[in-house]
Amino acid sequence: MKKMMKEFVFRGLIAAGFGPIVYGIVIFIIETCGVNAMQDGSMILKAILSTYMMAFICAGASVIWQNERLGLGYSALIHGTVIYISYLITYLLNGWLDHDKIGQFSIIFISGYIIIWLIIFITEKLKAKKLNQQLNK
């Protein structure tokens, strides 16, 4: 458990630095498209800290996949729940999501998460099958 926490923090710190960069790129793209993205200092600070924390949490949460004692389904459930809760809290605290839209957000998030992981699972399963066929030759 101690090793997992160290790995969580390590991965989080590596990825977290990219949060503010991503925020800057998004604002640049929005302004390039002609949308007025004027924000005050507190909004910018809150957005930078939020993207920093989200990158930290998302990268750190990937450590769950290293625990081979957990099944794939249980790992996906833990990972998805951590990501979902952290996104939801961040979006609500920043005013990026209205309280009456939580249901829609949840459906979209869960659907997207399941679709992405099914694609990854099927792709990896096919790669493993191909590799096994080559080894059996």
Side-chain angles (χ1 to χ4, degrees):
M1 184 68 170
K2 195 174 189 179
K3 184 178 178 185
M4 278 183 80
M5 287 306 293
K6 283 183 181 179
E7 187 68 21
F8 180 97
V9 171
F10 176 73
R11 288 180 184 201
L13 288 174
I14 289 174
F18 294 107
I21 294 169
V22 170
Y23 173 72
I25 291 169
V26 169
I27 294 300
F28 174 76
I29 292 170
I30 289 171
E31 288 178 347
T32 302
C33 293
V35 177
N36 184 5
M38 263 179 97
Q39 299 179 9
D40 63 24
S42 64
M43 286 176 63
I44 292 171
L45 179 61
K46 189 167 34 169
I48 288 172
L49 291 175
S50 296
T51 54
Y52 184 85
M53 287 306 300
M54 289 308 304
F56 180 86
I57 291 168
C58 289
S62 68
V63 76
I64 195 70
W65 302 110
Q66 289 183 330
N67 189 338
E68 294 180 10
R69 291 183 295 163
L70 296 175
L72 182 62
Y74 193 61
S75 294
L77 180 64
I78 293 170
H79 182 263
T81 302
V82 167
I83 301 299
Y84 169 77
I85 291 171
S86 59
Y87 269 71
L88 183 62
I89 290 170
T90 301
Y91 287 9
L92 290 171
L93 289 176
N94 286 315
W96 298 341
L97 178 68
D98 294 330
H99 290 279
D100 61 337
K101 303 286 187 196
I102 292 175
Q104 292 171 326
F105 170 79
S106 299
I107 291 168
I108 292 168
F109 181 90
I110 293 167
S111 299
Y113 188 86
I114 289 171
I115 290 168
I116 290 168
W117 280 107
L118 279 175
I119 291 169
I120 292 170
F121 178 77
I122 291 168
T123 302
E124 293 301 314
K125 191 100 166 154
L126 292 173
K127 284 181 187 178
K129 184 178 180 180
K130 185 177 178 181
L131 183 61
N132 284 333
Q133 288 174 345
Q134 289 176 346
L135 290 173
N136 290 331
K137 286 184 180 180

